Amino acid sequence: MKICILTAGKGTRMGPVDTNINKALLPIKGKAIISHIIEHFDPDDEFVIGLGYKGQQVRDYLKVAYPDRLFHFITIDKFEGEGSGPGYSLLSCKDFLLDPFYFIPCDCLFDSDFKSVPNGNWIGTKSVDSKQSENYCNAKIRDGIVVDLKDKEKCSSDFVAFTGFLYVKDFEIFWKNLEDTRAIKGEHQISNGLKGLMDGPGLFGVEMNWTDLGDIKKYRNEKKKEYDYNFEKTDEFIYFVNGKVVKFFADKNSVTDRVKRSRIKPKIFPKVTGRGEQFFSYPYLSGGTFYTEGNYKLFENLLNWLDQNLWDKHDVNSSKMKELCKKFYKEKTLKRFDMFNSLYPSYNFPTKINDISVTPLPLLLEQIPWEKLYDGIPSFIHGDLQFDNILINKDSKDFMLIDWRQDFANESQFGDVYYDISKLYGGIILNYDLIKKGLFKISQDESEVIFDFAQKNMTSKYLEIFEKYIQSKNLELNRVLLLVGLIYVNMAPLHHEPFNFLLIALGTQFLNKINFKDL
């Protein structure tokens, strides 16, 4: 079979989530929306993909995720403005669809085994609230046959919505009628071709399970079914598809640098097997994260393993190290703080947290003796070292590190070992696995905050072991705690509400516990 999927549109109804990525690649249940569609069909089927807005992303993703599938990529020359629309985009794919074919929009999920569909042209349908009907092409069905179509019009309850899922058997008639370019709501719609089928050989209506993800509200409602709290960022995504882990980054340099860094330590990072401008992939690894599989005895083994395999010391000019630490700690923190302020300009920074008065974060950032952090220890580092990024093989108990950072202040060969230590410490206290399950709460009244979050029973034992390790390596615990507080603050603008406010409060709490004079 041939299946046409259009991904050309800008997805203006998706709001801020499509700023960095094509909407067909937004993740649902660990896979891109388009993956759910593709995997519904046989491996030998052909796919005709209409490309437009961020089209290179779609091309790269499909090549990385499905190197053995057959794709025909068609660049749509006009995917916005007058004369554009799904009808125009589909017509642009005509030369590859001169056979019976399926057409499916890229912003939906569906459930159909095609075993009970009619032997002829048909459209997928689903009942929607008549108040929403003007957002759809609507069909009146009588005895399973489409007898009337109204596109982008408010309709009575005896009409059902066309889901966008279409099977065209009489393709010549469909194409002839689709060439009618009369616009509906300013766009060239597919309904012109549907009317040709309805008035000619006939068009069936097939009721199906269908989920519309075409606007930000619908997409977020579907995402809520996956997590109690959505931990995803807006500039990077992860997919588990076709036996692979596929990572997306809005920053192309991030992909290049992460791939390079993975090759420096091939025994502790997974082998990158595919990549595009904004994607790379590696085989899915069996096992679990340290959050799910670890214990305090394995934690001691982990620290020794990190010592031997990750934290290689580097001989670096001290002035260069100070410059890197200044950029990474002070300048990045202040930039992230400004980012938070721009997102929440009227936010009241806490002056009381869990009934204890605190110095608010803006004043704390002025008081921090930043220069005390510049004397870093140059080592190869992971850069985001926390239990969720440490895999344990269930049988061998071997470790593997994933989701490594691309650089330390644009330096890819080394960073400050204190940063890895502090990241690991912060991830023990604030268990990100439990955060994803929504096991936290925060309330704020003016500048007073009350918060709480779940911790594992082994947390105190982990910290006891870790602090002994820190002392054994002649590292300064106070500096680690200061960096933990700064790490929480840096994370805040990258995450959704209300977790971002918890991070601000927790970072503020940490920084208030440190006597800066002792550093």
Side-chain angles (χ1 to χ4, degrees):
M1 287 303 305
K2 290 185 177 179
I3 302 99
C4 181
I5 307 173
L6 299 181
T7 69
K10 292 191 70 172
T12 54
R13 294 185 295 153
M14 298 306 296
V17 300
D18 77 328
T19 301
N20 293 317
I21 196 165
N22 184 289
K23 67 177 179 178
L25 304 180
L26 288 169
I28 287 287
K29 300 175 183 176
K31 295 181 181 180
I33 298 172
I34 199 170
S35 282
H36 289 278
I37 298 171
I38 288 170
E39 294 179 6
H40 211 87
F41 293 92
D42 292 336
D44 294 333
D45 289 337
E46 294 183 31
F47 293 87
V48 179
I49 310 295
L51 302 177
Y53 178 67
K54 297 188 182 295
Q56 188 64 41
Q57 290 181 352
V58 178
R59 186 193 296 266
D60 285 350
Y61 172 81
L62 295 178
K63 286 184 175 181
V64 167
Y66 304 102
D68 299 325
R69 294 259 191 176
L70 177 56
F71 296 103
H72 303 288
F73 296 105
I74 311 300
T75 299
I76 311 301
D77 62 353
K78 183 168 56 178
F79 56 85
E80 61 179 333
E82 186 177 349
S84 66
Y88 178 86
S89 295
L90 183 53
L91 199 57
S92 300
C93 300
K94 175 183 174 182
D95 290 346
F96 287 85
L97 299 169
L98 298 178
D99 298 284
F101 67 93
Y102 290 103
F103 167 74
I104 307 169
C106 70
D107 55 4
C108 72
L109 302 177
F110 66 90
D111 182 15
S112 176
D113 57 12
F114 308 133
K115 292 180 180 178
S116 58
V117 297
N119 182 23
N121 310 295
W122 57 263
I123 60 172
T125 66
K126 186 175 182 179
S127 296
V128 297
D129 189 330
S130 59
K131 295 178 182 178
Q132 300 293 321
S133 59
E134 60 185 319
N135 295 322
Y136 301 98
C137 176
N138 303 277
K140 181 181 284 188
I141 312 293
R142 185 179 299 138
D143 297 327
I145 298 174
V146 178
V147 296
D148 193 11
L149 283 169
K150 292 185 178 182
D151 201 352
K152 302 295 188 292
E153 297 180 37
K154 191 170 184 179
C155 300
S156 58
S157 59
D158 56 344
F159 279 77
V160 291
F162 165 42
T163 63
F165 199 161
L166 167 67
Y167 176 69
V168 177
K169 182 179 181 182
D170 297 294
F171 56 92
E172 292 175 333
I173 295 173
F174 176 79
W175 291 125
K176 180 180 179 181
N177 285 272
L178 190 61
E179 289 173 356
D180 180 353
T181 60
R182 282 178 293 179
I184 300 173
K185 292 286 182 74
E187 291 188 329
H188 184 178
Q189 302 292 350
I190 293 171
S191 54
N192 295 337
L194 298 182
K195 288 175 181 177
L197 297 176
M198 182 184 72
D199 296 335
L203 182 63
F204 295 95
V206 177
E207 188 175 355
M208 61 170 50
N209 291 323
W210 163 75
T211 303
D212 180 11
L213 302 173
D215 65 49
I216 184 63
K217 183 177 180 181
K218 294 183 177 74
Y219 175 70
R220 284 179 172 165
N221 285 341
E222 192 66 21
K223 290 294 290 185
K224 288 178 182 178
K225 299 177 183 179
E226 298 180 40
Y227 316 103
D228 293 289
Y229 170 74
N230 183 3
F231 204 73
E232 290 176 348
K233 300 176 183 177
T234 58
D235 61 349
E236 61 182 79
F237 297 106
I238 186 169
Y239 313 91
F240 303 95
V241 57
N242 199 21
K244 304 173 184 179
V245 177
V246 180
K247 294 280 295 183
F248 164 83
F249 297 90
D251 181 3
K252 296 176 184 179
N253 291 330
S254 182
V255 171
T256 300
D257 292 341
R258 286 172 195 254
V259 173
K260 285 181 180 178
R261 293 196 76 233
S262 72
R263 292 170 180 161
I264 297 173
K265 293 280 187 177
K267 293 184 178 180
I268 67 172
F269 296 134
K271 182 179 179 180
V272 174
T273 53
R275 65 162 297 182
E277 285 186 352
Q278 293 177 268
F279 297 90
F280 68 82
S281 67
Y282 54 83
Y284 182 82
L285 305 171
S286 62
T289 71
F290 205 98
Y291 276 134
T292 59
E293 304 299 325
N295 56 56
Y296 64 87
K297 291 185 177 180
L298 276 177
F299 185 52
E300 292 179 330
N301 294 340
L302 172 65
L303 292 173
N304 291 329
W305 183 85
L306 291 169
D307 249 346
Q308 296 171 15
N309 296 280
L310 177 66
W311 292 321
D312 295 340
K313 300 296 186 291
H314 280 243
D315 186 11
V316 178
N317 182 284
S318 61
S319 61
K320 180 176 181 179
M321 194 64 196
K322 289 180 184 296
E323 180 185 349
L324 292 176
C325 288
K326 180 181 180 181
K327 288 181 179 178
F328 195 78
Y329 293 137
K330 182 179 182 179
E331 294 177 13
K332 181 167 74 73
T333 297
L334 297 180
K335 183 177 179 180
R336 291 280 178 86
F337 181 67
D338 288 343
M339 187 188 307
F340 182 87
N341 281 328
S342 66
L343 290 169
Y344 305 97
S346 59
Y347 179 75
N348 290 317
F349 287 95
T351 57
K352 181 177 284 188
I353 298 175
N354 292 347
D355 292 328
I356 297 176
S357 295
V358 295
T359 301
L361 182 59
L363 292 178
L364 283 170
L365 295 179
E366 294 176 1
Q367 297 171 9
I368 290 173
W370 294 101
E371 66 281 355
K372 300 288 186 179
L373 299 176
Y374 301 163
D375 187 22
I377 300 176
S379 306
F380 188 87
I381 64 171
H382 177 281
D384 192 12
L385 192 64
Q386 39 95 357
F387 285 173
D388 220 18
N389 292 337
I390 302 170
L391 299 185
I392 305 176
N393 185 298
K394 291 184 179 180
D395 298 322
S396 66
K397 302 302 180 184
D398 291 334
F399 302 112
M400 180 68 73
L401 304 182
I402 60 173
D403 288 352
W404 55 99
R405 188 181 169 86
Q406 72 272 15
D407 59 42
F408 182 88
N410 296 321
E411 172 58 59
S412 61
Q413 299 297 311
F414 62 90
D416 180 12
V417 74
Y418 267 107
Y419 189 66
D420 263 7
I421 297 286
S422 303
K423 269 280 188 177
L424 192 56
Y425 196 105
I428 293 171
I429 292 172
L430 191 58
N431 186 308
Y432 303 126
D433 217 24
L434 298 180
I435 294 296
K436 293 173 187 176
K437 296 177 181 178
L439 298 177
F440 69 96
K441 58 184 178 181
I442 180 168
S443 60
Q444 182 162 353
D445 182 13
E446 295 296 329
S447 59
E448 183 172 353
V449 169
I450 297 176
F451 73 83
D452 197 8
F453 53 86
Q455 290 182 314
K456 292 286 184 70
N457 288 333
M458 285 188 287
T459 297
S460 58
K461 186 65 176 178
Y462 282 142
L463 293 178
E464 177 186 339
I465 292 169
F466 203 11
E467 289 181 6
K468 286 182 180 178
Y469 169 85
I470 290 169
Q471 292 171 354
S472 73
K473 297 297 179 179
N474 295 317
L475 300 173
E476 301 171 30
L477 181 59
N478 263 349
R479 189 193 298 199
V480 172
L481 298 178
L482 171 58
L483 287 175
V484 169
L486 293 177
I487 284 167
Y488 292 146
V489 172
N490 274 263
M491 290 172 62
L494 306 181
H495 289 275
H496 306 289
E497 299 179 23
F499 181 53
N500 56 348
F501 300 134
L502 172 64
L503 289 166
I504 289 292
L506 187 58
T508 301
Q509 187 182 67
F510 252 81
L511 296 174
N512 269 271
K513 290 180 179 179
I514 298 168
N515 186 342
F516 295 149
K517 295 180 180 179
D518 292 339
L519 291 170

